[in-house]
Amino acid sequence: MNSIPYARQYVDAEDVASVVEALQSDWLTQGPTVRRFEASLSERVGARYGTAVGNATQALHLSCLALELGPGDRLWTSPNTFVASANCARYCGAQVDFVDIDPATYNLCPKTLAKKLADAKRRGTLPKIVVPVHFGGQPCDMRAIAALAEEYGFSVIEDASHAVGAELEDSRVGSGRYSRITVFSFHPVKIMTSGEGGMATTGDAELHSRLQRLRTHGITRDAAAMRSAPEGGWYYEQLELGFNYRMTELQAALGLSQLGKLDRFLLRRREIADLYRSLLHDLPLVLPNVRTGVKSAWHLYVIKIDRARTGVNRRALYDALQRKGVLVNVHYIPVHLQPYYRDLGFRRGDFPEAERYYADALSLPMYFAMTDEDVRRVARATSDAFGELH
Ligand SMILES: *Cc1c(COP(=O)(O)O)cnc(C)c1O
């Protein structure tokens, strides 16, 4: 029998045709299709501006630079994330620290954040930037985080790599209502793809032009932004040190075409989550818990072994499912336990909730093209594994 991956892109004939059309057009590098993708995605998430880049890691890096993070500054994020959410600070020469997670949602805990901020204020070690990560597609408690940002004077960058199309109580993730910048990823395992790709959305015109400039070497062609009068039609100025972090027209064409399917993608993911819940609720598992009032984009379906009800451990369950062709995964190894971060002084025990979560967590397959039968097969395999292992 075929194995079932944990995630997989869905690319149809319409997507292929859009990419071919871009390939045959006058522009291959950043051009009109990138601008259309920026406008369409921003509109979809309710943001004023969007800057498309080669991946979300680049978007995080540029966002930190646009907010002037540098040596001597601090960025705080969740330990339960992909390393990129923290690495962006290191690219800027800043220090990283983490805020432990809420064991109910696996997202950065606002109460823990509040305590840590009060402490940091006394010590004079407040962060310049906090990066909440909408883990698995479930939005963080942005109202609480934004209130703390106001009180303590830090900027918020939302890492919404898992959360294209997710919704808060009163707004869409990415609208800029609760943060300076929101970052999305279009890596093939995510909700929609552009091959590789990322976007930084913002409601702030100045931040937007900074992001646009940093994406292209720090160069401007806008006479109003130049130090000197233009010397002719060819003239441009490099105002600061930027990068070549541009998205191609091919990527944008795929992204735009995928964006047209986003509502279908989100709907199907929710159906799969509902089906998993109905099939798994009798097993000794903790199933995902979505806060009332918010809408998850269901990037991941994470189950946790319920230690109170079974002696089966995560490693054994992972191996048993792999043997049955159900290619489960684990999100995430706490970032502070990575050797690179241990070398910076972090240790086991620093963020106990993220570590406890990690010990029991498993991501079941979740992707648009999964059939109900695939979902049933995963649930059966999980149930059989418990039967064999207990
Ligand atoms: C995937 C991911 C990233 C990085 O995205 P890329 O587009 O691969 O650079 C950053 N943060 C989180 C939480 C992610 O899941």
Side-chain angles (χ1 to χ4, degrees), residues 56-57 60 82 84-85 133-134 137 158-164 173 182-187 189-192 299 332:
T57 305
L60 285 163
F82 186 55
S85 316
V133 180
H134 304 306
E158 293 173 70
D159 184 341
S161 295
H162 299 182
V164 185
V173 166
T182 303
V183 166
F184 295 101
S185 172
F186 312 119
H187 184 281
V189 300
K190 308 287 163 73
I191 290 167
M192 52 172 271
H299 167 55
Y332 284 97

Side-chain angles (χ1 to χ4, degrees), residues 354-366:
E355 293 171 28
R356 263 195 290 278
Y357 158 82
Y358 166 64
D360 295 331
L362 211 51
S363 302
L364 294 184
M366 168 60 96

Side-chain angles (χ1 to χ4, degrees), residues 237-275:
E237 284 187 353
Q238 184 196 340
L239 298 171
E240 60 185 326
L241 186 63
F243 299 83
N244 178 352
Y245 278 178
R246 291 183 302 260
M247 176 181 271
T248 67
E249 290 287 276
L250 314 186
Q251 291 167 293
L254 179 54
L256 257 176
S257 177
Q258 291 258 306
L259 184 57
K261 291 186 266 281
L262 178 59
D263 288 326
R264 273 170 60 207
F265 287 171
L266 293 165
L267 191 65
R268 180 61 189 152
R269 284 175 178 273
R270 197 160 73 233
E271 284 172 3
I272 292 168
D274 289 344
L275 188 53

Side-chain angles (χ1 to χ4, degrees), residues 2 7 11 29 60 74 96-97 132 149 152 162 171 176 205 214 219 235 241 272 361 387-388:
N2 293 339
V11 173
T29 58
L60 285 163
R74 293 178 174 79
V96 172
D97 202 353
Y152 288 95
H162 299 182
S171 56
L214 286 164
I219 284 173
Y235 192 72
L241 186 63
I272 292 168
E388 293 156 22

